[in-house]
Every structure is written in structure tokens, then in C-alpha cells.
Amino acid sequence: MTRIFMFPGQGAQRVGMGRELFDRFPHLEAEASEVLGYSLRTLCLEDPEGQLGNTRYTQPAMYAVNALAHRAAVEDGDRPDVAIGHSLGEYNALEAAGVFGFADGLRLVAARARAMADVTGGGMSAVVGLPETKLRFLLLRAGFADLDMANLNTAAQTVLAGPVEDLEEAGQILEDAGARMVRRLAVSGPFHSRYMAPAAAALAPVIRSARLAAPAVTVIANCTAQPYTAENAADLMLEQIDHPVRWRETVESLLALPDPQFTEIGESTILTSMVRQIRRDAKPAGTPAPRQLAAA
């Protein structure tokens, strides 16, 4: 059996998250609040100023709660062979693999959140019901060269990123072409697209000055669907900002491992639902596993 831990990212947050975890790990809650300069407990449990949906606050909150949920799983006797995370969740996968510690990871996430929040003027839309090849063709034919595919989640679910006007105009065209749903996402910017290059540049000095250890368990990168190494960690963490999340490819490659068992860490079921759909649509047996895992 291959045990795979999955960590959700932005979009899984909710008011009330982490209550039992804060009580179980009060020292880590206090450490997180000290790093952030505000009460993590108050933000997650009460959100009195309505900040939990603001990426500056969402990312640190999700990272901290995911990290505590991982500790709870380990204390309860479950340990992964592979760790993966969707967007922000990849930082939790790296922390779970020992690439950096809890507090250092939180500092990196807070810097990531600030850099990404500074890029405005665009948005994201989820498109359901169109395969990637058809979606690319439709966007090309309609002249939407300014829209990027940001999240390749499943065979039938893709998230687009780019100028808001283009997203609005493309939505009706895609629905007329057979999309079951096109829905704007409640995000502040065009994440995981070319438009986030300034955020990657702003984050680069922080990432490149960080002490990053070799992963103790395999972590699959969002932007390559291949494993992290000690040598490529900084590059992959930066490329993740302005490159698409190749979630479907990541999961498909892991399905080639012996008896893969996926566990979503925390209270979310978003990634579990995606894995279920990807399993149904999986390629025939024999799809290669990531290079570092193929001989494992």
C-alpha cells in the first residue's frame, strides 16, 4: 500500500476551522500567532473583520490549520509515503516532508500571500464539462489569448485565469459550446497564470534565502507533476506561483503506484472528490509513475 496525504489550498477555508486542533496543539497556535502578529484562533473561529476570504489571511490560516491536522494524523498513527498539495497546500506537503519547519513555512506562506495579493486586476473562473483539448480549441478560436489555464483539476474541470472582462465574455461562449457550468471564483487575482510573474519575482529573494532540506518523503510538484528534490525545491516553489496546477496529472501518475490510498488532511473533501473523478477517468494501467517513485 502507498499512503498519500493530500493538503487542500485556498477555497477550503471556513469560519470555525481548526477549533479542536487549536485545543490539541496550543503551543503551535501560539507560535503561529506570534509569527503572524495577530490571533490565528480569532481569525479562524470568529473572523470578526471578514478577513478569512482575503488571500493575505487565507493562506497563512489554511497552512497553519493543515499543518496541525497533519500532526494530529501522525499522532494518531498515520504517516505518508507521498505528500501532495493543491496550490497553497503544496507548502503543507513540503512541511510534512521536513523541507522546512512549521514556523519557517508559515513565514514563507505569509510572504507568498502578500506577494500574490499585490497582483490585482484579474480573476479566475471554473469551467466544468469541457475536456482540456476542446477548451483550448474554443479559447483559441474565440480569440481569448489573454486567458490562461490555471488549474487542470480533472478531465472535466479546469480553472481559467486572466482579465475579468475576458472571463466574463468567455463564460457565455463556453456555456453555449457545451460547458455544464462556468463560475467566477471569489479570488482577488489571476493566480497560477502568467500575470503572477511579478509575485514570483517579489517572492524570489525570500525563497532563495530560505534553508530548504531534502524531502524525507516524496512530494510531487504542482507545476511539473514530478518529485521535488533538494536541488530543485526553490525553483519549483517559485514556478508554482505563475504556472498551472497540474493536479490531474499528479494524481494519475500516483495511481500507477502499488495500492495508492489517498487521505485528505483536515476537514475538506474537495481533493477527495477530485481524486474520485480522476480515478473514474484514469488512463489504462501502465501509466508511468513519477521518476523517483518508479523503482520504489
Side-chain angles (χ1 to χ4, degrees):
M1 180 177 71
T2 306
R3 294 161 299 190
I4 302 163
F5 277 10
M6 305 186 294
F7 296 91
Q10 189 165 322
Q13 74 274 6
R14 65 172 184 83
V15 176
M17 69 180 187
R19 185 181 304 276
E20 294 181 359
L21 294 167
F22 297 150
D23 292 339
R24 184 168 176 175
F25 302 103
H27 61 295
L28 290 177
E29 178 218 324
E31 185 176 12
S33 296
E34 182 178 353
V35 168
L36 296 172
Y38 54 82
S39 171
L40 178 67
R41 176 182 285 265
T42 299
L43 173 65
C44 292
L45 302 188
E46 302 173 22
D47 191 23
E49 298 180 36
Q51 295 173 319
L52 196 56
N54 180 330
T55 195
R56 292 179 186 268
Y57 296 90
T58 309
Q59 293 191 38
M62 279 301 305
Y63 168 85
V65 171
N66 281 347
L68 299 191
H70 169 250
R71 279 159 176 74
V74 170
E75 282 193 358
D76 293 342
D78 199 4
R79 292 180 181 273
D81 302 302
V82 180
I84 56 177
H86 193 283
S87 188
L88 163 72
E90 188 161 282
Y91 279 65
N92 285 108
L94 293 167
E95 195 265 346
V99 174
F100 42 71
F102 172 74
D104 287 340
L106 185 56
R107 293 184 185 97
L108 293 176
V109 167
R112 179 184 189 267
R114 290 191 297 270
M116 293 176 71
D118 284 343
V119 178
T120 58
M124 304 179 80
S125 291
V127 181
V128 178
L130 291 176
E132 178 186 344
T133 52
K134 184 174 182 179
L135 180 55
R136 288 187 185 278
F137 169 75
L138 290 170
L139 293 174
L140 179 64
R141 186 178 67 177
F144 290 108
D146 291 333
L147 293 181
D148 289 351
M149 293 192 176
N151 295 348
L152 302 166
N153 287 333
T154 71
Q157 183 191 125
T158 303
V159 176
L160 303 177
V164 171
E165 298 81 5
D166 285 8
L167 291 172
E168 295 289 353
E169 186 179 349
Q172 186 59 56
I173 292 173
L174 295 175
E175 287 183 343
D176 290 344
R180 293 200 302 274
M181 181 187 75
V182 180
R183 178 171 60 87
R184 284 288 309 283
L185 301 183
V187 296
S188 61
F191 303 149
H192 300 292
S193 73
R194 75 187 92 164
Y195 304 102
M196 300 306 293
L203 188 61
V206 179
I207 295 294
R208 297 205 181 280
S209 64
R211 298 180 61 181
L212 305 175
V217 301
T218 298
V219 178
I220 307 300
N222 281 180
C223 61
T224 63
Q226 290 293 330
Y228 269 86
T229 67
E231 292 73 29
N232 68 15
D235 289 340
L236 291 177
M237 291 170 70
L238 290 172
E239 288 176 19
Q240 190 219 45
I241 303 294
D242 58 0
H243 285 68
V245 175
R246 296 166 61 181
W247 188 253
R248 176 177 57 82
E249 290 179 63
T250 295
V251 173
E252 284 179 346
S253 67
L254 295 175
L255 292 176
L257 298 175
D259 188 20
Q261 300 296 316
F262 293 84
T263 300
E264 187 165 359
I265 300 300
E267 301 174 359
S268 169
T269 60
I270 294 173
L271 302 183
T272 301
S273 296
M274 289 185 191
V275 169
R276 188 179 303 116
Q277 182 62 52
I278 294 167
R279 279 187 184 272
R280 285 198 292 262
D281 299 333
K283 296 176 182 178
T287 301
R291 287 190 294 269
Q292 289 186 355
L293 289 174

